[in-house]
Amino acid sequence: IKKYDKELYLKDFHATVDISENRVLKRLLLEILQVIMNVKKSIEKIPKNLMSSDLKKDFTLLQKYSSKLNYLLKEGWLRKVQIVQKEKGISNAYLDYRYIFFKDLNWKLKHISNFQPQFSRQYQYYWHRTDLLYEIWGYIKVIEALKGLGFTPVKGWIFDNVDLDFQELKPGTCVEMKTNGMYKHFMYLKIKYDDEVLPEEEEKVTLSNPLWHSSPHNRPDIRIEIYDKNMIFQSTIILDTKYRRLKNMNNFGKAGIVEQLNAYRYQLLSPYPFRADSYQKYNLFHRKNEDHQVIDVAALYPGELNDQEEVLSELKTKSTKSIVLNPRFPNNSLLKKFLKESFNQQEETFEQFEKWDEFLKDF
């Protein structure tokens, strides 16, 4: 034993960093590095042309973190520290706030990296919190149903993205889709969300804005406009989301929706397709005062627990329908059935045009 400056030292005393606290720290940093590498591998699987700007920044940051940790673990002072899975006894690392920080960081990183955000799951849990969320979810389910019926997205909203940047669903949003060969006649769709029908006079309509209205109810939640192969407007399908019970909306007045849906059915009008040059030859068979180009109207509502077996039901005036669309029931067969029946009606209209063509050949 030697004495220096009133301190006693053992003969073989030497400074070391291989202590229990640093062993715990090294294990935590190795686990943090592993999480970072796993996240990097997941991001690398995404094609570069689909990466959002934020994701690219995150990836650059992860590379910086992994580089610093690798240097510290392999070339820094921590390389002198043993790697142990579990330190014997209770280490002071679990009592020192500086070490606890890395312990908490490791736990949070593992928790976040294991979390898989799924919009469908979020909607299933939170759909009942707001009618606006139900409205947005309804629009998404309509696009999903259309894809199931043989329509392919062309452009609009999330289908315009060259990366994964989030695109808010705003009023006036329009997704365009087209048939992929499942129908005899080509149909091009414009699915419009919360879009106001303008103008208010028939004389102001155009090919790109073919509808006008004669009612204050002129802003349905979802409007599906159908066009032919030459982009001539043919007809429209109206869907309105109603976050309420059927018995509370199946009447007239402020509490009900029958008046509103009737207005969509009979007071959204268009002179097309007969105003277009290629269709003017059919004016001989078309009554000028019959400009009702709305095929059908339906209200989407959550329904009751036993409504998943319900068939398409008509509201009081028998001019519009109600469809149960509930996040608890993954099957949207009623919506698909309604849309399929509407497209069948449009197919019949195309067939009628062909018959008129045959008849006009003799003149």
Side-chain angles (χ1 to χ4, degrees):
I1 299 175
K2 293 184 180 182
K3 187 175 182 180
Y4 295 101
D5 296 330
K6 298 181 182 181
E7 297 289 341
L8 293 175
Y9 292 90
L10 295 176
K11 184 178 180 180
D12 59 347
F13 172 81
H14 64 278
T16 179
V17 293
D18 188 22
I19 58 177
S20 65
E21 289 89 339
N22 290 339
R23 290 171 185 172
V24 171
L25 176 63
K26 187 170 186 176
R27 188 182 76 247
L28 291 173
L29 291 178
L30 283 168
E31 291 179 3
I32 290 172
L33 179 62
Q34 185 61 51
V35 172
I36 291 174
M37 298 307 294
N38 290 341
V39 175
K40 277 184 63 181
K41 287 179 182 178
S42 298
I43 295 177
E44 286 173 341
K45 293 178 182 179
I46 302 173
K48 289 186 178 180
N49 62 327
L50 292 179
M51 274 196 192
S52 67
S53 55
D54 287 339
L55 203 57
K56 290 176 182 177
K57 290 179 183 177
D58 291 342
F59 185 75
T60 302
L61 198 59
L62 288 171
Q63 285 182 312
K64 187 182 295 185
Y65 288 156
S66 61
S67 176
K68 288 182 178 296
L69 284 174
N70 273 314
Y71 174 82
L72 184 61
L73 290 165
K74 294 180 180 179
E75 300 181 39
W77 60 270
L78 273 176
R79 63 188 174 84
K80 299 177 181 179
V81 178
Q82 295 182 50
I83 299 175
V84 293
Q85 293 301 317
K86 189 174 181 180
E87 187 67 16
K88 296 179 180 179
I90 299 177
S91 171
N92 288 331
Y94 299 111
L95 303 175
D96 191 320
Y97 72 92
R98 294 169 297 179
Y99 291 86
I100 291 174
F101 167 80
F102 290 99
K103 178 176 177 291
D104 291 342
L105 176 62
N106 184 39
W107 182 88
K108 288 179 181 178
L109 284 175
K110 286 183 178 180
H111 178 72
I112 293 172
S113 64
N114 289 329
F115 175 71
Q116 299 296 324
Q118 296 179 4
F119 286 114
S120 59
R121 182 172 65 184
Q122 290 174 354
Y123 283 124
Q124 288 172 10
Y125 282 117
Y126 301 115
W127 64 272
H128 57 285
R129 294 180 62 179
T130 170
D131 55 352
L132 177 60
L133 183 56
Y134 182 69
E135 185 178 297
I136 294 170
W137 182 79
Y139 183 78
I140 294 171
K141 296 301 287 185
V142 167
I143 293 175
E144 181 183 286
L146 290 171
K147 289 178 68 176
L149 289 172
F151 291 89
T152 303
V154 176
K155 62 179 180 179
W157 192 33
I158 57 175
F159 303 103
D160 279 340
N161 280 3
V162 293
D163 53 39
L164 297 179
D165 284 323
F166 175 73
Q167 296 294 320
E168 180 184 358
L169 181 61
K170 299 178 180 178
T173 295
C174 178
V175 170
E176 300 184 19
M177 307 178 78
K178 64 179 181 179
T179 51
N180 58 13
M182 291 182 64
Y183 295 88
K184 178 181 177 182
H185 301 89
F186 178 86
M187 285 181 276
Y188 193 93
L189 308 182
K190 293 182 180 181
I191 304 96
K192 298 182 177 180
Y193 168 72
D194 193 21
D195 184 62
E196 186 177 3
V197 176
L198 293 173
E200 298 182 5
E201 299 175 12
E202 178 182 356
E203 290 73 21
K204 295 180 181 179
V205 298
T206 62
L207 274 173
S208 59
N209 194 11
L211 288 167
W212 66 287
H213 66 87
S214 60
S215 161
H217 300 291
N218 65 326
R219 195 165 181 164
D221 294 333
I222 304 165
R223 185 168 81 250
I224 303 173
E225 295 179 355
I226 305 174
Y227 294 77
D228 68 5
K229 60 183 178 181
N230 298 314
M231 291 304 294
I232 305 298
F233 173 76
Q234 300 294 313
S235 55
T236 188
I237 305 166
I238 303 297
L239 293 153
D240 218 48
T241 57
K242 299 298 178 185
Y243 183 70
R244 63 188 78 172
R245 294 180 179 180
L246 181 62
K247 66 180 181 180
N248 294 334
M249 64 184 185
N250 196 15
N251 52 60
F252 291 88
K254 291 184 179 180
I257 62 165
V258 174
E259 182 182 4
Q260 179 190 20
L261 296 186
N262 278 350
Y264 291 151
R265 185 71 175 85
Y266 297 115
Q267 293 179 283
L268 293 183
L269 310 168
S270 176
Y272 289 100
F274 301 99
R275 179 177 286 187
D277 293 340
S278 57
Y279 283 85
Q280 285 188 2
K281 59 185 176 180
Y282 303 130
N283 281 328
L284 175 67
F285 311 98
H286 172 67
R287 294 183 182 179
K288 197 65 179 176
N289 61 345
E290 291 183 352
D291 287 340
H292 303 291
Q293 302 302 337
V294 177
I295 292 179
D296 211 343
V297 177
L300 305 176
Y301 73 106
E304 304 294 339
L305 285 173
N306 60 346
D307 280 342
Q308 63 266 40
E309 302 298 331
E310 185 179 332
V311 296
L312 283 174
S313 57
E314 293 179 331
L315 295 172
K316 278 188 175 180
T317 58
K318 298 189 181 300
S319 60
T320 59
K321 297 180 175 68
S322 61
I323 300 172
V324 175
L325 191 66
N326 193 312
R328 291 173 295 181
F329 313 137
N331 188 351
N332 60 353
S333 58
L334 290 182
L335 175 59
K336 292 175 71 173
K337 179 182 178 182
F338 169 81
L339 292 172
K340 186 175 182 180
E341 289 177 357
S342 298
F343 293 129
N344 287 342
Q345 289 186 52
Q346 181 58 52
E347 287 269 79
E348 291 174 4
T349 300
F350 283 132
E351 294 287 346
Q352 188 63 54
F353 288 151
E354 291 179 354
K355 290 179 181 178
W356 287 348
D357 281 335
E358 289 294 323
F359 178 78
L360 290 172
K361 284 181 181 179
D362 298 330
F363 292 89

